[in-house]
């Protein structure tokens, strides 16, 4: 059983040593191991290949594999930093590390900026913000007229685009978030502090493996 | 807040797609 488990881990594409991942993230080794339990659960929900496919990510987020959502797509794309269409274990842990309560605020601010920079131009453009507000309205019960949406976007831009060039750069974004810290509230997941309680079984598996 | 004074980023940060806590629900 132990040998099988050990071989199985080595064969998983993208599997990385928990001690290395722990050294590069706010997680401890046992927390990384617990995250592997969560990763296994998500990555085997549709295709059991040790990788999180977009449908599996959607299923984990929404309990519905077909539910498309602009923001979930953006999160998936940022987690998939190799840009190969799947999330590997190392990518999963490093990306979730940004959401750890102890992760540097600067990392959270930058991550949120990249999230909202839909077209990877290095700026949040007005059209992107407009598109994101429409996407949010689509998924919620909030009904606002086009005029009101335009006003909301204009007002936000007039507050955030301090240079007045019609786009928000990273410096403007940092300044805007410092005045509105609630904007990165969703970049912190309190669950990540209790991950070993939520997903403890890997630790037990490791002990079996070590004694083999 | 009236809709016009809403912060657009505040609004979009409420998206379910950005709420990763559901990944941890069993």
């Amino acid at each position: 059983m132990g040998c099988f488990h050990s071989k199985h881990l080595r064969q998983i594409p993208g599997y990385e040593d928990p001690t290395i991942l722990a050294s590069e993230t706010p997680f401890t080794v046992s927390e990384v191991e617990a995250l592997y339990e969560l990763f296994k659960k998500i990555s085997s929900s549709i295709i059991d290949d040790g990788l999180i496919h977009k449908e599996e990510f959607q299923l984990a987020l929404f309990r519905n594999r077909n539910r498309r959502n602009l923001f979930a797509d953006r999160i998936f794309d940022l987690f998939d930093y190799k840009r190969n269409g799947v999330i590997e274990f190392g990518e999963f842990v490093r990306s979730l590390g940004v959401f750890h309560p102890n992760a540097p605020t600067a990392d959270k601010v930058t991550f949120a900026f990249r999230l909202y920079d839909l077209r990877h131009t290095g700026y949040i453009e007005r059209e992107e913000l407009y598109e994101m507000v429409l996407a949010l309205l689509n998924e919620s019960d909030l009904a606002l007229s086009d005029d009101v949406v335009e006003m909301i976007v204009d007002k936000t831009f007039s507050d955030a685009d301090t240079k007045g060039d019609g786009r928000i750069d990273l410096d403007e974004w940092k300044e805007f978030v410092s005045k509105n810290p609630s904007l990165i509230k969703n970049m912190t997941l309190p669950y990540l502090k209790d991950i070993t309680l939520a997903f403890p079984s890997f630790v037990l598996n490791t002990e079996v493996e070590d004694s083999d | 807040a009236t809709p016009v004074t809403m912060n657009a980023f505040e609004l979009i940060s409420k998206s379910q797609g950005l709420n990763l806590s559901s990944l941890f629900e069993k």
Side-chain angles (χ1 to χ4, degrees), chain A residues 38 41 60-61 63 67 69 71 115 129 132 136 139 148 152 156 176 182-183 186 189 191-192 195 198, chain B residues 2-26:
Chain A
L38 173 63
K41 182 178 156 231
L61 272 186
R63 306 288 175 265
R67 175 146 172 221
N69 176 288
F71 302 102
L115 192 64
L129 187 55
M132 290 187 280
L136 183 277
E139 68 173 90
V148 172
I152 291 171
T156 303
F176 192 58
S182 62
L183 294 187
N186 57 358
L189 289 169
Y191 290 83
L192 291 174
I195 195 78
Chain B
T2 61
V4 183
T5 61
M6 282 179 185
N7 180 327
F9 289 108
E10 190 82 54
L11 202 57
I12 61 184
S13 71
K14 311 283 187 220
S15 169
Q16 286 179 54
L18 297 177
N19 181 11
L20 298 191
S21 59
S22 51
L23 292 179
F24 303 89
E25 286 163 14
K26 295 192 175 185

Side-chain angles (χ1 to χ4, degrees), chain A residues 5 7 16-17 22-24 38 51 53 58 77 95 110 119 125 130 133 136 151 160 166 176 184 190 194 205 208 212:
Chain A
H5 200 81
K7 279 180 192 167
E16 291 184 49
D17 185 339
S23 72
E24 296 175 6
L38 173 63
L51 301 163
H53 296 254
Q58 289 164 185
D77 289 346
S95 301
T110 304
R119 298 187 232 301
E125 320 262 355
Y130 187 79
V133 172
L136 183 277
M151 281 189 274
F176 192 58
I184 55 158
D194 298 321
N205 287 339
V208 170
D212 195 27

Side-chain angles (χ1 to χ4, degrees), chain A residues 92-105:
Chain A
F92 185 69
V93 175
R94 289 189 179 89
S95 301
L96 276 182
V98 175
F99 291 79
H100 192 284
N102 296 344
T105 301

